[in-house]
């Protein structure tokens, strides 16, 4: 688990359950990321001008160019059509692949790098489903771009080091903030990920834990339920939880027990509840996200799903 304030300060870092039993720092260790990578694909598409008003067919398709690869939805549901917001809300794999091809594979890789993903990503369309191994630290850093109106901030662990004499021997020097995409692109993505929390795979934050404020996020689950993820953010902080064994061959038996919404999301929720009940930290759950433009909202307010093309 790790939490980064949206201004860059690292607030929490938990590398594992107990150092006596496992010496991996899983905040920095790379693991398959699953669907938490999808918002990077969608952000690239929105930035490239893909129309968020459009509906995508929720159909299985075989891709000849990639050895007849045929991605599938975890739910095995292939009915109707979904907007990009709807497809992200319900984490539909087949639509995410379509969005990647609309965005451009190389453009997705470039945006991921600009957002802070330093891991070398394979040039294959399956990245839209989260097949790469990336660290929790990199993914949480990347998500801060959504919370920061499209800007990438630099994380810091120390403000300064001061000797007992008062002499400061180290002082953090602020680094340049880089714009990755526009404020409106970031606001559109946040609106989509608020829908994930309000209506989709992360709605337990509302229904089970009773959070009322501004929260956006995305769950992720990898093959065989070896990795469970949840990255969520408020206007003040971005935090992520990963759940798994040191050896990915050890995994949950089913999605009902091993999905990111069942394993990682409760850790994030417990952390946020502690913030809520702490008078010194409750402000981290306050504030409002930047609202998308009126034109964008007209598209985002469309029905997430329709049965067939009109």
């Amino acid at each position: 688990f790790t939490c980064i304030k949206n201004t860059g300060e690292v607030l929490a870092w938990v590398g594992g359950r107990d150092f006596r039993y496992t010496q991996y720092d899983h905040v920095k260790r790379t693991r398959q990321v699953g669907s938490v990578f999808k918002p990077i694909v969608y952000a690239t598409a929105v930035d490239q001008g893909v129309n968020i008003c459009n509906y995508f067919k929720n159909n299985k398709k075989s891709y000849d160019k990639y050895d007849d690869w045929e991605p599938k939805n975890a739910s095995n549901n292939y009915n109707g059509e979904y907007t990009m917001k709807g497809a992200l809300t319900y984490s539909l794999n087949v639509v995410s692949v379509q969005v990647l091809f609309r965005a451009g594979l190389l453009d997705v890789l470039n945006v991921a790098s600009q957002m802070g993903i330093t891991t070398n990503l394979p040039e294959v369309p399956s990245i839209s489903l989260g097949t790469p191994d990336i660290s929790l630290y990199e993914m949480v850093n990347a998500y801060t771009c959504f919370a920061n109106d499209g800007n990438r901030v630099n994380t810091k662990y120390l403000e300064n080091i001061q000797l007992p004499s008062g002499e400061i021997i180290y002082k953090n020097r602020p680094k340049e903030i880089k714009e990755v995409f526009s404020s409106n692109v970031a606001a559109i993505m946040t609106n989509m990920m608020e829908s994930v929390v309000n209506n989709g795979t992360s709605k337990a934050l509302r229904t089970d834990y009773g959070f009322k404020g501004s929260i956006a996020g995305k769950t992720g689950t990898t093959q065989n339920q070896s990795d469970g993820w949840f990255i969520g953010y408020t206007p003040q902080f971005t935090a992520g939880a990963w759940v798994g064994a040191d050896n990915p061959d050890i995994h949950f038996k089913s999605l009902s027990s091993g999905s990111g919404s069942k394993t990682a999301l409760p850790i994030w929720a417990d952390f946020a509840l502690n913030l809520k009940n702490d008078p010194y930290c409750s402000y981290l759950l306050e504030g409002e996200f930047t609202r998308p433009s009126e034109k964008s909202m007209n598209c985002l307010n469309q029905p997430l799903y329709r049965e067939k093309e009109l």
Side-chain angles (χ1 to χ4, degrees):
F1 180 88
T2 191
C3 176
I4 300 173
K5 201 172 178 182
N6 291 336
T7 47
E9 297 88 349
V10 175
L11 300 182
W13 187 294
V14 182
R17 287 186 63 190
D18 194 319
F19 189 79
R20 290 174 297 177
Y21 304 114
T22 175
Q23 286 77 51
Y24 284 121
D25 180 359
H26 281 291
V27 172
K28 279 292 189 76
R29 191 189 185 198
T30 61
R31 289 291 290 251
Q32 196 174 54
V33 291
S35 293
V36 291
F37 191 83
K38 288 176 181 174
I40 297 176
V41 175
Y42 283 63
T44 307
V46 175
D47 193 43
Q48 291 290 323
V50 177
N51 191 346
I52 60 173
C53 287
N54 290 347
Y55 283 83
F56 291 79
K57 292 181 179 179
N58 181 32
N59 294 339
K60 280 196 287 188
K61 180 181 178 182
S62 178
Y63 293 89
D64 299 341
K65 186 178 177 182
Y66 297 97
D67 299 322
D68 296 321
W69 176 56
E70 188 180 61
K72 298 178 176 63
N73 291 332
S75 64
N76 283 319
N77 170 33
Y78 301 99
N79 297 323
E81 299 178 333
Y82 290 80
T83 62
M84 288 172 63
K85 180 177 177 178
L88 191 62
T89 298
Y90 301 112
S91 204
L92 299 178
N93 289 339
V94 297
V95 176
S96 295
V97 177
Q98 295 176 53
V99 172
L100 175 128
F101 282 119
R102 292 277 189 95
L105 176 54
L106 293 179
D107 288 305
V108 170
L109 295 173
N110 182 50
V111 168
S113 175
Q114 291 182 50
M115 292 177 72
I117 305 298
T118 58
T119 302
N120 187 29
L121 302 180
E123 194 176 319
V124 292
S126 62
I127 65 169
S128 60
L129 312 184
T131 54
D133 288 359
I134 305 172
S135 71
L136 176 65
Y137 176 72
E138 289 176 74
M139 289 305 305
V140 172
N141 266 277
Y143 271 59
T144 62
C145 296
F146 300 128
N148 281 313
D149 294 331
N151 297 310
R152 178 184 168 190
V153 300
N154 294 279
T155 55
K156 56 185 177 182
Y157 313 90
L158 291 171
E159 196 66 61
N160 58 63
I161 301 174
Q162 183 175 318
L163 297 178
S165 64
E167 179 187 0
I168 295 176
I169 60 174
Y170 169 83
K171 185 173 180 61
N172 182 273
R173 297 182 180 277
K175 297 179 181 178
E176 180 184 0
I177 296 175
K178 297 180 180 180
E179 182 181 288
V180 180
F181 36 75
S182 72
S183 174
N184 194 53
V185 170
I188 289 170
M189 290 308 306
T190 292
N191 180 279
M192 289 184 183
M193 283 188 276
E194 282 187 288
S195 180
V196 175
V197 172
N198 294 336
N199 308 297
T201 57
S202 307
K203 63 183 179 182
L205 290 174
R206 304 295 192 199
T207 59
D208 296 356
Y209 295 95
F211 289 108
K212 304 291 186 185
S214 298
I215 302 173
K218 186 71 186 76
T219 55
T221 312
T222 66
Q223 299 174 49
N224 300 321
Q225 299 80 233
S226 293
D227 308 89
W229 296 75
F230 179 69
I231 302 176
Y233 60 97
T234 73
Q236 306 295 334
F237 76 88
T238 303
W242 168 87
V243 173
D246 291 349
N247 184 342
D249 289 338
I250 302 169
H251 56 82
F252 288 90
K253 292 182 179 180
S254 67
L255 276 172
S256 62
S257 59
S259 66
S261 62
K262 298 293 185 180
T263 61
L265 183 145
I267 295 172
W268 194 100
D270 285 344
F271 175 80
L273 285 173
N274 276 285
L275 295 180
K276 181 180 177 181
N277 295 326
D278 188 322
Y280 296 101
C281 298
S282 59
Y283 76 95
L284 291 168
L285 292 167
E286 297 173 355
E288 299 290 335
F289 290 125
T290 300
R291 183 180 171 85
S293 68
E294 184 175 348
K295 180 180 179 181
S296 298
M297 284 303 302
N298 288 336
C299 293
L300 292 166
N301 286 336
Q302 291 180 166
L304 303 182
Y305 166 84
R306 68 184 186 190
E307 290 189 9
K308 59 183 179 179
E309 186 176 355
L310 298 176

